[in-house]
């Protein structure tokens, strides 16, 4: 039986992505029990009609599935092990990690969860805060086919497009690789667009041409027009979260014996930016950082 509206879902991590996800689930008729360490986040989702609990293990009470939308694997492990969430989950509850975690950690967690009768699905997403608000994310699900099918209606309500990409951990591997591509595209297209601008070309004209040509990417089609040109740098995806994903991907590539030379260089640049920008910097601020690196800051 699949998880239809009316089912009870625990949800941990009510940040930039978690909040709009919970809103969509509540609006569809799911009973959501939410938790976040940040009291403001808890208030935000309480106002959306979710039940909020004061300790993380309480999200598991009566839950058919527990969804996590946390910053990284270290936090996932802390919540599941030290904070007692896994112990509180009853056998048969499906654990769904929707954040971008380390695939090796995910596999270890999944084994531990399975030994307690709790199946795990990793279901990271791509599409940003806008996609989470509109329900137009791509969900990359890893896990046993029957577990993915069981939670599919929930994932579809959150994301729209759900693809089963392999065993548990496969979603997290693919998500990290996707973000290594995305971050590297953003770097190289920004270097090119900034050089063109310095040469005297109009950025809007360049984007218009590139987006009809072979240099186009998500960075030229969405990130530059939406967040860079207007000077808002407010995509809602942190620069440090992107760096975490890039590091997961280059480590994975190294382990396969096919290291990514370009990816490693991108990580080096990104890590330098992360050291120099404030902790809250949005990932699109890499463009402003590139300009400043060469004393050409304008925005
Ligand atoms: P965020 O920092 O906005 O939200 C994370 C939330 O987790 C925060 O509200 C924080 O208070 C909470 N939290 C931290 N430690 C906790 C703990 N121990 N117990 C309970 N709550 C805790 O991050 P986000 O942008 O929502 O991203 C979440 C995950 O999704 C990350 O893995 C990120 O890489 C991934 N992701 C983000 C985007 C995006 O556009 N923002 C897109 C795709 C994937």
């Amino acid at each position: 039986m699949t998880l239809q509206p009316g089912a009870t879902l625990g949800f941990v991590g009510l940040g930039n992505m978690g909040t709009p996800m919970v809103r969509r689930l509540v609006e569809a008729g799911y009973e959501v029990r939410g938790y976040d360490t940040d009291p403001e986040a808890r208030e935000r989702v309480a106002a959306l009609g979710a039940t909020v609990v004061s300790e993380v293990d309480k999200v598991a009470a009566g839950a058919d599935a527990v969804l996590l939308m946390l910053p990284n694997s270290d936090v996932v492990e802390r919540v599941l092990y030290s904070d007692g969430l896994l112990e509180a989950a009853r056998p048969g509850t499906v654990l769904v990690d929707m954040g971008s975690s380390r695939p090796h950690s995910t596999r270890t967690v999944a084994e531990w969860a399975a030994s307690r009768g709790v199946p795990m699905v990793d279901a990271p997403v791509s599409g940003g805060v806008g996609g989470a608000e509109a329900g137009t994310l791509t969900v990359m699900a890893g896990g046993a086919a029957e577990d993915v099918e069981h939670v599919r209606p929930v994932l579809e309500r959150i994301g729209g497009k759900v693809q089963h990409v392999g065993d548990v951990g496969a979603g997290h591997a693919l998500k990290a690789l996707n973000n290594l591509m995305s971050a590297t595209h953003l770097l190289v297209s920004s270097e090119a667009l900034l050089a063109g601008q310095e040469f005297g070309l109009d950025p809007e004209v360049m984007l218009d041409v590139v987006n009809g040509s072979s240099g186009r990417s998500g960075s030229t089609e969405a990130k530059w027009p939406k967040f860079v040109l207007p000077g808002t740098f407010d995509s809602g995806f942190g620069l440090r979260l992107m760096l975490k994903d890039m590091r997961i991907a280059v480590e994975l590539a190294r382990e396969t014996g096919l290291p990514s030379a370009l990816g490693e260089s991108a990580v080096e640049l990104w890590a330098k930016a992360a050291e120099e920008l404030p902790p809250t910097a949005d990932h699109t601020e890499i463009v402003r950082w590139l300009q400043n690196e060469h004393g050409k800051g304008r925005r």
Side-chain angles (χ1 to χ4, degrees):
M1 217 180 59
T2 60
L3 288 187
Q4 297 297 331
T8 300
L9 308 173
F11 202 111
V12 186
L14 310 169
N16 288 339
M17 295 294 281
T19 299
M21 288 173 164
V22 167
R23 183 180 58 75
R24 291 188 58 77
L25 292 170
V26 168
E27 282 173 2
Y30 287 98
E31 296 291 327
V32 180
R33 296 169 68 82
Y35 177 80
D36 194 291
T37 40
D38 176 2
E40 271 181 32
R42 296 203 295 268
E43 275 169 35
R44 209 167 42 224
V45 305
L48 296 174
T51 303
V52 291
V53 294
S54 54
E55 280 157 40
V56 69
D57 55 343
K58 297 206 170 84
V59 302
D64 299 297
V66 171
L67 281 64
L68 309 178
M69 197 53 180
L70 291 163
N72 57 48
S73 286
D74 291 347
V75 179
V76 168
E77 288 177 16
R78 191 176 330 136
V79 162
L80 289 174
Y81 302 148
S82 322
D83 297 347
L85 179 56
L86 204 44
E87 206 159 330
R90 64 181 181 195
T93 300
V94 184
L95 179 64
V96 187
D97 183 2
M98 302 203 68
S100 308
S101 305
R102 281 195 314 274
H104 289 306
S105 163
T106 303
R107 287 190 173 160
T108 309
V109 167
E111 272 174 36
W112 214 68
S115 73
R116 305 187 56 85
V118 172
M120 181 168 183
V121 169
D122 51 316
V125 300
S126 180
V129 173
E133 279 162 357
T136 55
L137 297 165
T138 294
V139 183
M140 312 164 204
E146 66 267 28
D147 299 330
V148 173
E149 290 317 307
H150 185 57
V151 296
R152 186 180 281 277
V154 174
L155 300 180
E156 281 179 346
R157 175 64 196 163
I158 289 173
K161 189 173 173 196
V162 179
Q163 283 168 283
H164 184 196
V165 299
D167 293 338
V168 74
H172 282 150
L174 182 52
K175 169 63 190 175
L177 294 167
N178 175 79
N179 275 18
L180 179 64
M181 293 185 225
S182 166
T184 310
H185 293 160
L186 180 58
L187 267 177
V188 79
S189 46
S190 299
E191 285 175 348
L193 289 164
L194 292 174
Q197 203 175 337
E198 210 51 34
F199 184 77
L201 284 158
D202 179 336
E204 291 197 25
V205 171
M206 285 190 280
L207 285 173
D208 200 27
V209 171
V210 168
N211 286 335
S213 308
S214 51
R216 71 181 178 276
S217 66
S219 301
T220 59
E221 288 176 336
K223 292 181 185 187
W224 261 74
K226 281 195 204 158
F227 311 116
V228 178
L229 284 185
T232 51
F233 303 98
D234 61 349
S235 78
F237 181 42
L239 185 117
R240 280 168 182 74
L241 288 178
M242 179 66 104
L243 176 59
K244 165 209 50 159
D245 296 344
M246 295 165 78
R247 285 184 163 139
I248 294 171
V250 295
E251 190 186 321
L252 187 148
R254 258 185 261 133
E255 283 170 5
T256 64
L258 289 168
S260 164
L262 181 56
E264 304 259 3
S265 300
V267 167
E268 252 177 59
L269 280 171
W270 209 279
K272 191 157 184 272
E275 264 172 35
E276 293 171 12
L277 290 172
T280 52
D282 191 81
H283 82 288
T284 54
E285 288 188 48
I286 193 75
V287 183
R288 205 155 32 177
W289 175 82
L290 279 173
Q291 282 182 307
N292 289 332
E293 269 290 276
H294 302 292
K296 303 279 190 190
R298 281 205 193 119
R299 293 185 178 87

